[in-house]
Amino acid sequence: LIGNARENNANIEDIFKHGDSDVEIDLSNAEYIDSTGISLLLKLHKRQKEEGLNFSITSASERVESILKLCSLYDTLVQ
């Protein structure tokens, strides 16, 4: 989820158009996540669940994990 919000929304929409499979997000290179990144993850998670597909985040750094826990989203988004 690197780049600006417009690029990321376009990337998410592309996944929606072409995807009917499970999604795994590797956050190993993400040192930080802000509200825009969290919003995109929640949007993708919601869509996947609505379609009966799996969504998972892997390799999140301690800092990103801490932010997700602070927002009470860790258990929802990280498997």
Side-chain angles (χ1 to χ4, degrees):
L1 298 175
I2 300 171
N4 66 44
R6 183 173 293 138
E7 290 172 354
N8 286 327
N9 276 320
N11 291 336
I12 296 294
E13 292 303 321
D14 192 47
I15 292 170
F16 289 171
K17 289 178 189 174
H18 298 94
D20 60 349
S21 61
D22 297 339
V23 171
E24 181 178 291
I25 305 291
D26 179 351
L27 292 180
S28 60
N29 290 322
E31 296 177 15
Y32 180 80
I33 188 166
D34 63 9
S35 60
T36 301
I38 291 170
S39 175
L40 290 170
L41 290 174
L42 287 171
K43 182 178 179 180
L44 184 53
H45 177 266
K46 180 181 176 187
R47 189 276 185 172
Q48 288 296 106
K49 294 302 177 187
E50 287 173 351
E51 297 294 323
L53 301 169
N54 292 319
F55 173 88
S56 63
I57 293 174
T58 61
S59 304
S61 68
E62 287 184 32
R63 186 171 186 188
V64 170
E65 283 186 6
S66 177
I67 293 167
L68 294 174
K69 287 175 182 175
L70 183 64
C71 297
S72 300
L73 295 173
Y74 183 82
D75 291 336
T76 301
L77 297 176
V78 179
Q79 297 179 349

